[in-house]
Amino acid sequence: MAEVDTTLLAGPFFAFAVLLAAAGALKLGRPEGAVRALRTAGLPAPEVGVRALGVAEVVLAAAAIAVGGRVTAGLVTVAYLGFAAFTARVVARSDATASCGCFGETEAPANRLHVALNLVAAAMVATVVVWPTAGLLDVVSDQPLAGIPFLALTLLLAWLWSVLYTVVPDWQEALAALVPSEDGERAPAGSDR
């Protein structure tokens, strides 16, 4: 197998773990959005279950960041694949205005882009299953400038990915409303074309 610099994989891995932790913490604090999303998907939606999911996400993310390795990478990959499947179910069962409930009360529309983002995240994290990385402290100890640039870029990637989930769909909707459809009418608000 080819030699891979696992530091290149560590940044995205930690970024997706940070995003997972943020989503879990937001579900803990404000589970209502995830409860609505579960109901939209036709699944049981007890608030205590959503909060338990939030705890599981935070614990998994913390383990991934602290330890790294194949096992945590595999579990984070499974989590993102599960999010993709759940979001696809919400998309199939709802109109274009449904939220995925990923980020508590923060709206993150469930759409095909959201499904694709989860699949890309799962694929990127899965690379760490093949080429494992160490935990954050070990990775940072090998970085120049006390790891500050590495940490900054990792957090920037996590933030940009969250923007893709939450802001870009609003931009898509606004642009779709400006572009006439084939029949000359403007797209209805909330449409996913």
Side-chain angles (χ1 to χ4, degrees):
M1 192 175 305
E3 194 66 29
V4 172
D5 181 3
T6 59
T7 304
L8 296 174
L9 305 176
F13 174 63
F14 294 138
F16 291 121
V18 166
L19 194 58
L20 180 64
L26 289 168
K27 284 184 191 86
L28 276 170
R30 301 196 77 153
E32 300 83 12
V35 167
R36 280 192 304 276
L38 285 164
R39 288 184 183 141
T40 299
L43 299 171
E47 187 174 301
V48 69
V50 169
R51 289 184 193 272
L53 176 62
V55 168
E57 289 174 0
V58 170
V59 168
L60 174 56
I65 291 167
V67 179
R70 284 188 166 97
V71 172
T72 60
L75 293 171
V76 174
T77 300
V78 169
Y80 275 98
L81 289 173
F83 299 150
F86 174 75
T87 306
R89 182 177 174 124
V90 172
V91 169
R93 295 178 55 99
S94 70
D95 63 18
T97 61
S99 174
C100 71
C102 304
F103 302 106
E105 282 299 298
T106 303
E107 291 296 317
N111 58 28
R112 292 185 300 267
L113 172 64
H114 197 117
V115 174
L117 289 170
N118 282 325
L119 291 173
V120 169
M124 291 177 77
V125 171
T127 62
V128 177
V129 174
V130 178
W131 296 287
T133 183
L136 181 65
L137 292 179
D138 289 332
V139 171
V140 168
S141 70
D142 291 336
Q143 296 297 309
L145 301 173
I148 293 170
F150 176 84
L151 292 171
L153 289 171
T154 298
L155 292 174
L156 177 63
L157 177 59
W159 177 77
L160 288 172
W161 209 262
S162 74
V163 166
L164 288 173
Y165 282 123
T166 58
V167 176
V168 170
D170 292 339
W171 293 347
Q172 287 178 311
E173 183 178 326
L175 288 173
L178 297 174
V179 177
S181 63
E182 288 84 34
D183 61 5
E185 297 293 320
R186 298 226 187 263
S191 68
D192 185 22
R193 38 170 177 159

